[in-house]
Structure formats: structure tokens, C-alpha cells
Amino acid sequence: MIFAEPAYRAPIAFDFDADGTKETLLPAGSGDGTGRIHFVDLCLCVVEPPAPPTCTCPALTGVETEFAEIVLVDLDRDGEQEIVGADVSGKIHVMRLAPEFGELTELPGWPVQLVEGEVASISIGEVDKDGRLEVLASCGGKAYALNYNGTVLPFWPPRVPVRADGQGRAHAPLCLDLTGDDAGEYVGTISDGRLLALRSDASNVSGWPLMAGSSLGASPLALDIDGDGSVELVTLRDVGVEDSLSGEIDVWELGATFTPSVAWWPSYRRDAAHSGVVPDSLSLPVAPAMGVVSELYAMPNPAKGSSVTLHYTLSEEVDRVSIEIYDLSGRLVHSAFPRAFAASDNNYTVELRDFASGVYMFSIEATGGSGRSEKVFSKFAVLK
């Protein structure tokens, strides 16, 4: 099939309009950062043998950039699939598709810039047991986990010393349970060929990283090869670790039980068909609420740079969130009304240009439609 631009990225097939026939999403681009996603309904395409079939379906509008990869998942639990895409400039997009209008719209909080100029590789998984799937990404030698609202999980990306050898090409991380806690861990390579296994707080699983694969090898594969109920990890070596081992395959016995229900992304593009689709995100149990506002803290604390990020979690939908910061004399020095996302980490960044060194109190107040509100307090220090 002929398209207006080069189309060499993996497509996605899904029945978007519930007519019993799958449509195809295909990212295309010219290599210079410009591109589009084509929504292909084969019944509308012109086929005139013996010439190759020509796609007459219009490209989607609204978000026009060159995507290196796209996957499909219901991130916000609204019952509709969203398109998650990594573009060639290092941004991650989450888009809602309106097939009847041929249009893409970004969800609130997106796109998110990771490492500028680096191409990210993405997957989907549940790492923090909050009842919503996260976007996992490898980009520029760093590991990322992002909530449905574009907020990077606390402590991500972790600081991982990278050795000088190896070449930095990102491979999509896996997501499966390695510790028996019913939460997935991020399993992915960094540029020197080592494999990380990271918990929700970005800490390494005991015994990791592993020296497996290489920076130029393929994405790893996790499965129960020998039928003993435990996870084996398959990696491919290539030039960049040891030339003498180029092309060899390693199989690691991890000693963890293989649980398909929490193996969210065990292979390249998730499954044997390389579909890139997560069909069952609504099967996740929603985490029980401990209060409307929780997990309130500042990072870094003390803040020594140009800004500080205030973190908080909301357990339910609220109409308004207000943030107030006071110095120790009780003077209000900053206030804001940021966008609020339920059942998710929320981050608000404060520029410290006008803040003197000292200790500051801050509050987060969440107000619901009935007028009921909850207010919690914490503090942070500024060192200049």
C-alpha cells in the first residue's frame, strides 16, 4: 500500500468504531521530525490491479509529528483506548482519537519532554499498584515511569552511573512481577548493556543490574521457557559488550514465579503478535483511598537549585486544588490553583528566584463539589 510519506514503523490494528473489522494506525514520517499518523480503513482504500493499492484514507490531524513508536491503552480508565506515542524529538504523547472526525487531541498533561533530541522507546505497565497503568520509557540512557496525567513518578528517573563503553540506543523496557508483590517492575537496558530491574520508587531489585545483552542488541524477552512456573529472561548480545560474543543468546533463570496477570509487557510490543495493544486495563483493581490528599512532600528537600517540586496524591475527583506557601513569620509568599488529577501523583513546580534561604510551610487544600474540603501541611527548606 502506498502512502504520501515513508511508513516504516510498527502499525497498530484495533476495532476503533466497533463495526467488527479492525482499522490500522500507521505512523509515517520523512525523517526530519515531520510526520503524521494514518488511520487506515481498508474498505475505503482504492485498489486498482495491477498497480499497488493506494491509501486514500486521510491522515489524522491535531497532532502532527514524526512518531518512532505508538502503542494503544486505556490510561485514564474512561473505557476508550488512547494512543501513546514516542516522537523522534524525545517527547511522549498521549492522544485521544476521534475516528469520525479524523482528529487526535492530547490528554491534559501531555506531551512530556524526556531527553531532548533522543528517541524514546516505550511500553506500558502497572508498577505502583494505584489501579492505573503507567507509561514506561527508556530515553537517552535514562529510565522513566509516568502516570496517566504526564506526571513522572517520584524518584524517577533514577541516577544510574553509566560506564563509558557501549552505545546508547534505547530498547523498550519490560514490565512484570519479579518480587512476588503483585506489582510489575521495570526491566530494561541502559546504554552500556546492563539490565535494570526497578521498583515503583526507582530502587533496584536485589541482585540487579545484570550484565546481559548489549546496547545494540534487541529488546529482552521474559517467559516461562521450560514450563517450571518461573520466569526466564532471554537477551541478545551484539557488538558493544564483547565482540567474541556477538550474536549469542543468553537465558537467565530469575527464580521469580511467572504470573501472566501481572506480566504487563513481557516482550517487544507486548505479545507474540507484536500488537502494541493493552486490551484489559480496566481489570486493574483501584487502590483504596486513605484520605483525599496524601503523600505530600517537597523534592528536593532542602532545595538548593532554582526550583522545588511539591508532590501530592488525590484519591478522588475534586473541583479545585489550592496551594499556599508561607515563611516562618506567617507571610504568604506564593499561591496557586493547579490542575488536579484523581488517583494519581500530582506535581507542582515552584520557581525559587524570589525565595530567601530558610524554612517554608506549605499547604494543599482539595475542595469537592459539595463544598467539603481537606487541607494538609508540610514544609521544605531553601538553601542558597
Side-chain angles (χ1 to χ4, degrees):
M1 184 165 290
I2 298 176
F3 294 90
E5 307 99 346
Y8 51 89
R9 308 296 189 183
I12 284 176
F14 190 80
D15 185 5
F16 290 93
D17 53 10
D19 65 352
T21 302
K22 290 184 178 181
E23 294 77 40
T24 301
L25 290 177
L26 182 67
S30 56
D32 61 359
T34 59
R36 297 176 294 177
I37 295 178
H38 291 265
F39 181 80
V40 183
D41 190 339
L42 293 181
C43 69
L44 299 180
C45 292
V46 177
V47 181
E48 296 180 355
T54 300
C55 180
T56 57
C57 299
L60 299 173
T61 61
V63 180
E64 298 183 16
T65 186
E66 184 173 3
F67 287 99
E69 186 174 9
I70 58 172
V71 300
L72 199 66
V73 61
D74 182 5
L75 275 185
D76 58 4
R77 294 182 66 102
D78 65 350
E80 301 290 337
Q81 298 287 95
E82 286 84 43
I83 302 168
V84 181
D87 71 21
V88 297
S89 70
K91 289 181 181 178
I92 305 296
H93 303 253
V94 176
M95 300 159 286
R96 183 172 288 114
L97 169 63
E100 64 273 23
F101 303 116
E103 186 177 14
L104 295 169
T105 55
E106 296 271 13
L107 263 63
W110 302 90
V112 173
Q113 180 74 62
L114 302 185
V115 180
E116 189 170 357
E118 297 283 349
V119 179
S121 204
I122 55 176
S123 60
I124 304 295
E126 163 68 308
V127 298
D128 58 1
K129 297 173 70 173
D130 67 347
R132 296 177 188 262
L133 293 169
E134 285 79 47
V135 178
L136 309 179
S138 174
C139 184
K142 296 182 178 181
Y144 292 88
L146 301 100
N147 276 310
Y148 77 97
N149 60 0
T151 302
V152 179
L153 264 62
F155 313 113
W156 293 75
R159 296 181 181 273
V160 180
V162 178
R163 300 176 304 180
D165 59 333
Q167 302 180 38
R169 192 182 77 180
H171 293 302
L174 309 183
C175 185
L176 67 156
D177 183 12
L178 297 177
T179 60
D181 62 353
D182 293 328
E185 277 76 46
Y186 174 113
V187 179
T189 57
I190 53 178
S191 60
D192 59 11
R194 288 179 296 163
L195 268 169
L196 305 176
L198 303 173
R199 298 184 182 88
S200 62
D201 62 357
S203 63
N204 246 311
V205 173
S206 178
W208 296 70
L210 303 178
M211 189 62 243
S214 75
S215 60
L216 295 179
S219 293
L221 168 66
L223 73 167
D224 181 9
I225 294 178
D226 51 11
D228 64 351
S230 63
V231 182
E232 284 81 42
L233 186 70
V234 183
T235 61
L236 173 67
R237 291 183 183 269
D238 206 334
V239 178
V241 179
E242 292 184 46
D243 291 352
S244 62
L245 297 176
S246 174
E248 292 196 0
I249 294 176
D250 292 328
V251 180
W252 299 73
E253 178 67 66
L254 299 182
T257 301
F258 184 74
T259 308
S261 62
V262 278
W264 289 104
W265 205 275
S267 65
Y268 171 71
R269 295 190 62 76
R270 192 175 189 263
D271 51 34
H274 297 172
S275 70
V277 177
V278 180
D280 49 1
S281 44
L282 288 180
S283 65
L284 281 167
V286 178
M290 302 300 292
V292 178
V293 183
S294 62
E295 298 184 38
L296 178 63
Y297 53 84
M299 53 185 182
N301 192 7
K304 301 179 181 180
S306 60
S307 65
V308 64
T309 298
L310 308 183
H311 173 274
Y312 59 97
T313 298
L314 299 175
S315 64
E316 61 186 56
E317 295 284 352
V318 298
D319 286 354
R320 188 182 67 175
V321 167
S322 61
I323 295 177
E324 294 180 340
I325 302 175
Y326 298 86
D327 62 21
L328 289 185
S329 70
R331 180 174 63 95
L332 178 66
V333 296
H334 183 87
S335 62
F337 299 92
R339 181 186 292 270
F341 295 91
S344 175
D345 297 284
N346 289 264
N347 288 337
Y348 176 74
T349 299
V350 181
E351 298 296 326
L352 298 176
R353 180 178 58 256
D354 299 326
F355 283 65
S357 294
V359 177
Y360 294 83
M361 300 292 298
F362 71 97
S363 67
I364 307 287
E365 184 175 18
T367 304
S370 63
R372 184 176 66 91
S373 65
E374 181 177 307
K375 194 172 189 177
V376 294
F377 296 84
S378 189
K379 62 184 177 180
F380 65 89
V382 175
L383 297 180
K384 291 187 174 182

